[in-house]
Amino acid sequence: METMFSGSAADLELEFLYELEALEYMRGALFGQSESAFNNIEITLGNYSEHGGLYTLHTRTINVDSCENAVRYALSRLQPLAFIAAFKIQDIICEWILRENLPDGKVPRTFSEKISKYDQRRDEIMEPRLFSENPSIKNAFWEIYRKITKYRNSLIHSGGVEINILGDMTIRSAQHLLTLSSRQQAAYIAAICIIAKLLIGRANNNSYLHAILESYLHFLIDFHSIGDIKQRRLTLVRLKVIVPPEKLISENPISVNIDWAELRETTKNLFDRDNTGVEIMISAIVEVSLKDSVSIWDIPIEVVPTHTSTLTEGDQRFDSFLLKRVP
């Protein structure tokens, strides 16, 4: 029987909680990063336009802050600290994995020894599911770690890091020079944050988040050389489906047929009419309003159907996403 990785996600979270919280704020404010949906579409079933397609109400969420430029300028001076914090989280994850795989559970103190221990057990090491099921992500993670450890001392000592006017960061060691564009720094910080959240269960490993992680790692290919990680063009859409009472199969229990293929096609035509290859990923809210109640299904990306399906109260496939309230 195959032995499973048994590292405690709760223990891991405690080790880097402060750094992760700080980085989650900084990468949003400093690099404008977010995995949330900015595109929101509202469709009422049966409401067709004069051209025959479903009528859509499309809004885009934009974060406006009159102090945004000042905040970004201030935070730009913290770029090295943000990068160091991301590396610290990566180092903690590496130690967490090694601790579960070494006979005595004792992790070496130096980075070179940690990498050596990993290399010695590379083919038999037990890893968390995110890595064991995604070898490309695992290999990119460890190779990036191997690359950056050479510059760890330069990162934390004065004079080892320079930031130019474009935001590019150069790290100097005794024998080596490493330059990361602002885009590569942002990709590294984001990738580590996403990996950390997936490992501790703060994020669901759905297809959208997985694709975003791959795209960030693709920007770092110069540091890991894993060629089968591809950049993907993604659009996340938050789709709200309004179901009028006349579209219900029944009111007790509430039941409705939804043609998800038509909804997906409508969404695709809105964002990629010319078939440019953008991947459209959808999370959905289905809302049914009756005289005495409002029922709302909040369906995550990985559960939204692809073809016509019946949404019914009491269906175990969807009941965990159902909220019912009195108006």
Side-chain angles (χ1 to χ4, degrees):
M1 182 176 178
E2 184 180 356
T3 304
M4 303 296 290
F5 181 79
S6 58
S8 168
D11 290 346
L12 177 64
E13 182 175 14
L14 286 175
E15 289 194 61
F16 59 51
L17 183 59
Y18 172 79
E19 288 81 4
L20 181 60
E21 295 285 358
L23 275 183
E24 282 291 276
Y25 169 75
M26 290 182 66
R27 72 188 186 96
L30 182 57
F31 296 110
Q33 293 177 340
S34 173
E35 286 77 59
S36 300
F38 288 102
N39 294 293
N40 302 282
I41 295 178
E42 183 175 304
I43 294 177
T44 300
L45 293 188
N47 186 11
Y48 288 90
S49 70
E50 60 184 12
H51 303 293
L54 282 166
Y55 180 78
T56 60
L57 176 63
H58 174 214
T59 60
R60 180 174 173 83
T61 304
I62 300 175
N63 182 24
V64 178
D65 186 344
S66 60
C67 300
E68 180 179 4
N69 290 336
V71 170
R72 287 204 176 194
Y73 173 75
L75 287 173
S76 68
R77 304 176 69 178
L78 301 178
Q79 279 180 239
L81 291 179
F83 193 86
I84 291 170
F87 179 76
K88 182 178 179 181
I89 291 175
Q90 187 176 22
D91 183 49
I92 289 171
I93 294 171
C94 292
E95 290 189 349
W96 178 62
I97 294 171
L98 288 173
R99 192 176 299 117
E100 293 300 314
N101 284 273
L102 296 177
D104 57 5
K106 294 182 179 179
V107 180
R109 298 190 64 179
T110 68
F111 300 115
S112 60
E113 288 178 316
K114 293 175 192 177
I115 292 171
S116 177
K117 290 290 186 183
Y118 176 77
D119 287 341
Q120 290 170 15
R121 297 173 174 269
R122 191 183 192 105
D123 295 332
E124 60 186 36
I125 197 167
M126 293 180 297
E127 306 231 30
R129 179 176 294 180
L130 173 64
F131 289 169
S132 63
E133 294 182 353
N134 301 281
S136 296
I137 291 176
K138 174 193 71 174
N139 292 334
F141 176 87
W142 282 99
E143 291 307 311
I144 291 170
Y145 181 71
R146 185 192 307 275
K147 182 85 171 182
I148 296 178
T149 52
K150 300 175 184 178
Y151 303 90
R152 176 64 169 83
N153 290 334
S154 299
L155 273 169
I156 61 176
H157 295 299
S158 177
V161 179
E162 298 175 3
I163 305 288
N164 68 18
I165 194 171
L166 298 176
D168 300 338
M169 183 169 68
T170 299
I171 309 169
R172 302 177 183 276
S173 69
Q175 300 175 330
H176 303 281
L177 188 71
L178 180 67
T179 298
L180 297 97
S181 67
S182 58
R183 193 178 194 184
Q184 288 172 324
Q185 295 167 58
Y188 173 69
I189 291 169
I192 296 302
C193 283
I194 291 173
I195 288 171
K197 289 191 294 183
L198 288 171
L199 291 176
I200 64 177
R202 279 203 178 189
N204 294 321
N205 190 12
N206 56 50
S207 55
Y208 175 69
L209 199 58
H210 185 93
I212 284 184
L213 176 55
E214 282 195 333
S215 294
Y216 283 135
L217 290 174
H218 176 79
F219 289 135
L220 300 167
I221 194 168
D222 291 345
F223 305 102
H224 59 67
S225 302
I226 307 300
D228 55 350
I229 292 181
K230 307 298 182 184
Q231 181 180 1
R232 299 164 66 178
R233 299 176 60 208
L234 306 166
T235 294
L236 176 61
V237 176
R238 184 71 159 159
L239 175 63
K240 184 175 183 179
V241 182
I242 305 295
V243 182
E246 62 269 19
K247 288 295 179 180
L248 294 175
I249 299 173
S250 71
E251 292 189 5
N252 188 21
I254 290 176
S255 183
V256 57
N257 271 337
I258 298 179
D259 186 345
W260 291 101
E262 181 183 32
L263 294 176
R264 288 178 181 275
E265 185 64 24
T266 299
T267 304
K268 184 179 186 304
N269 288 338
L270 189 61
F271 291 100
D272 192 27
R273 187 181 300 275
D274 298 324
N275 292 314
T276 60
V278 174
E279 295 182 61
I280 311 295
M281 298 192 176
I282 296 172
S283 63
I285 290 180
V286 179
E287 181 176 306
V288 180
S289 296
L290 299 176
K291 291 181 180 179
D292 57 351
S293 67
V294 178
S295 297
I296 298 173
W297 284 267
D298 191 348
I299 308 175
I301 296 166
E302 62 271 23
V303 183
V304 175
T306 56
H307 302 289
T308 300
S309 65
T310 302
L311 201 58
T312 305
E313 286 182 304
D315 186 337
Q316 294 182 354
R317 295 175 302 165
F318 299 105
D319 263 11
S320 61
F321 312 118
L322 174 61
L323 169 67
K324 193 165 185 175
R325 65 173 185 265
V326 177

